[in-house]
Amino acid sequence: MLVAILSLSLVLAACGGDDNEDTGNNEEGQEESENDSGDSGSESASDVEYEEQEWEFVTEELKGQVQYEYAAEFADRIKEKTNGKITVTPYEYGALGSEVDQAQLLQDGGVQMAVMSPGFTGGQVPDGQIFSLHYFFPADPKLTQEVLNTSEALNKDLRAKYEEHSISPLAFWSEGSMAWTSNVGIEKPSDWEGLNMRVQESPLMKKTYDAYGASVQSLSWGELYTALDRETVDAQENPVFFIESASFHEVQDTLTISRHNNYIAMTTVNTEWYNGLGDAEKQLIDETVEEMQSWVFEEQKKQNDAGLEAIKNDSEYDTKIIELTDEQIAEFKKVAEPVHEYYKNEVEGIDPAIYDKLKKEIEEVSGE
């Protein structure tokens, strides 16, 4: 089945993200990997005689970018813990189709594992759109990651929602704060009026940018560079590392550090496949996913810091960087917050109790 899918779905991601910049293999990451690999999980894994297995792990990004480096690090740890008996093969974006294609592939059991963005499954699991609410999660990425690690609303209640569609999220993690790029310079909500904004397949994103006065268009990121260059779309949002590695700053004049939300990724498995594993394999996956939470937080921070410096120092394109003040953020919050209530009360198919529980958990972590 997978061979057929590969031959039919192969696409090229030709919009930046150089493969020769393997930002995941830094000394800090290697040191942390070595430290984590020495945990009790590794010792328990060495006592198990695993059967030879091959697992496939798809991502939405290219080599050198956070999601792919996550999958590659995960693969290395599994190989080490099982003495090479279990092989995990990471796939970069485009090898098995678009983001939507990859989500469907996981659901159908064509692959075992995927790093997935909730925005691309918003039509199937409406509750997952909660991650696209502007100024809902803490602005501090550390606090957001704490929420993601500890939230029962996410790790139990929302997980159950995804499992109705054969997707089991084993962990939620941030790829960093989101930023906007455009040719007009976004500094206040009215700057969005008349702009065509690229969004993921999330109906709630449309509602948010409607509130700002923009229209929206859903595009896979593999099409986005060309769309920005030809001005068929006017703006987009992504973490800074992704903006730089995908070269979006080459075809957009300004970068707005808005911190309107975080780009959330999920480590997911096909539910039926995972439930069919032996206890040893489940424990192996679970403990490795848990170890990876601290690793990926440091990895995204390193990549986002490096991406911002690279954009600042790129004299060829001279991108204007705008960092919103607290007063400017307050303006955006005022416009965005009614969309929170719209999500809770109007979006069909969501469980309002998940929203209420998560909001309370966020307040507790933030000390509000």
Side-chain angles (χ1 to χ4, degrees):
M1 174 182 176
L2 184 55
V3 173
I5 293 171
L6 272 165
S7 61
L8 291 172
S9 300
L10 186 63
V11 297
L12 295 175
C15 56
D18 294 338
D19 288 359
N20 60 0
E21 187 178 351
D22 189 358
T23 54
N25 294 329
N26 62 94
E27 294 179 1
E28 179 182 348
Q30 289 174 344
E31 181 179 348
E32 187 165 352
S33 171
E34 291 167 2
N35 291 339
D36 285 348
S37 297
D39 289 343
S40 59
S42 297
E43 294 172 2
S44 63
S46 66
D47 295 331
V48 178
E49 187 64 33
Y50 296 96
E51 295 181 2
E52 291 191 2
Q53 301 174 56
E54 295 184 7
W55 303 342
E56 290 164 311
F57 197 163
V58 297
T59 74
E60 298 168 349
E61 296 172 3
L62 299 178
K63 290 179 181 178
Q65 296 174 332
V66 174
Q67 287 190 20
Y68 183 89
E69 295 308 314
Y70 176 99
E73 176 70 17
F74 182 92
D76 288 345
R77 294 184 183 214
I78 295 296
K79 181 179 180 180
E80 180 180 349
K81 292 179 180 184
T82 65
N83 295 315
K85 289 294 184 69
I86 298 180
T87 301
V88 180
T89 302
Y91 289 93
E92 65 180 339
Y93 170 81
L96 300 178
S98 71
E99 301 94 336
V100 175
D101 295 333
Q102 292 177 177
Q104 187 64 53
L105 187 59
L106 180 75
Q107 287 181 271
D108 294 343
V111 295
Q112 292 76 34
M113 305 187 70
V115 177
M116 186 180 299
S117 305
F120 291 110
T121 56
Q124 295 171 295
V125 186
D127 299 84
Q129 297 179 77
I130 200 166
F131 295 109
S132 65
L133 290 174
H134 287 197
Y135 302 106
F136 180 66
F137 283 86
D140 184 342
K142 286 185 178 180
L143 294 180
T144 289
Q145 191 58 56
E146 184 178 347
V147 172
L148 299 176
N149 289 342
T150 62
S151 168
E152 183 177 287
L154 299 178
N155 293 292
K156 180 181 177 182
D157 303 336
L158 183 58
R159 173 172 172 167
K161 289 274 192 171
Y162 274 94
E163 288 183 335
E164 295 174 7
H165 300 270
S166 298
I167 297 170
S168 291
L170 302 183
F172 299 87
W173 40 276
S174 170
E175 293 190 59
S177 297
M178 297 286 262
W180 290 312
T181 66
S182 70
N183 287 331
V184 300
I186 305 298
E187 297 187 64
K188 55 186 182 300
S190 61
D191 290 333
W192 283 105
E193 292 178 7
L195 297 186
N196 185 14
M197 172 67 173
R198 176 265 180 178
V199 297
Q200 297 176 347
E201 295 281 346
S202 169
L204 194 66
M205 288 186 181
K206 180 180 186 300
K207 186 69 176 178
T208 298
Y209 286 101
D210 278 348
Y212 293 152
S215 59
V216 300
Q217 184 174 347
S218 297
L219 284 176
S220 172
W221 84 258
E223 306 171 79
L224 183 51
Y225 182 96
T226 300
L228 293 170
D229 189 32
R230 295 178 178 175
E231 298 184 357
T232 55
V233 295
D234 302 307
Q236 63 84 42
E237 62 176 12
N238 262 299
V240 173
F241 87 86
F242 195 87
I243 291 169
E244 189 276 328
S245 63
S247 302
F248 296 152
H249 68 291
E250 295 180 0
V251 288
Q252 298 266 266
D253 294 336
T254 68
L255 167 70
T256 298
I257 308 297
S258 53
R259 298 186 179 88
H260 56 281
N261 60 9
N262 281 252
Y263 192 97
I264 303 302
M266 307 184 294
T267 302
T268 65
V269 293
N270 174 272
T271 303
E272 289 71 30
W273 170 78
Y274 177 78
N275 289 341
L277 292 173
D279 290 341
E281 284 83 3
K282 287 180 183 176
Q283 181 182 349
L284 173 70
I285 292 172
D286 289 349
E287 69 186 20
T288 306
V289 167
E290 185 176 353
E291 292 170 7
M292 291 292 294
Q293 290 295 88
S294 59
W295 183 92
V296 76
F297 183 83
E298 295 303 321
E299 179 67 15
Q300 64 81 23
K301 183 178 186 305
K302 174 179 65 65
Q303 290 205 28
N304 279 299
D305 289 347
L308 184 57
E309 284 303 307
I311 292 173
K312 286 180 177 178
N313 296 328
D314 191 339
S315 58
E316 181 178 357
Y317 295 101
D318 194 25
T319 306
K320 180 181 179 182
I321 297 175
I322 301 166
E323 185 158 5
L324 296 184
T325 65
D326 291 343
E327 290 76 15
Q328 289 172 317
I329 287 173
E331 288 187 58
F332 280 100
K333 281 185 176 181
K334 185 176 180 180
V335 178
E337 283 180 351
V339 182
H340 300 187
E341 291 302 311
Y342 171 86
Y343 167 84
K344 177 183 173 181
N345 299 319
E346 303 293 335
V347 174
E348 185 176 353
I350 70 116
D351 181 356
I354 293 178
Y355 172 91
D356 288 336
K357 183 187 287 189
L358 180 57
K359 184 175 181 180
K360 183 177 180 181
E361 291 170 336
I362 290 171
E363 290 170 351
E364 290 172 351
V365 168
S366 302
E368 296 178 358

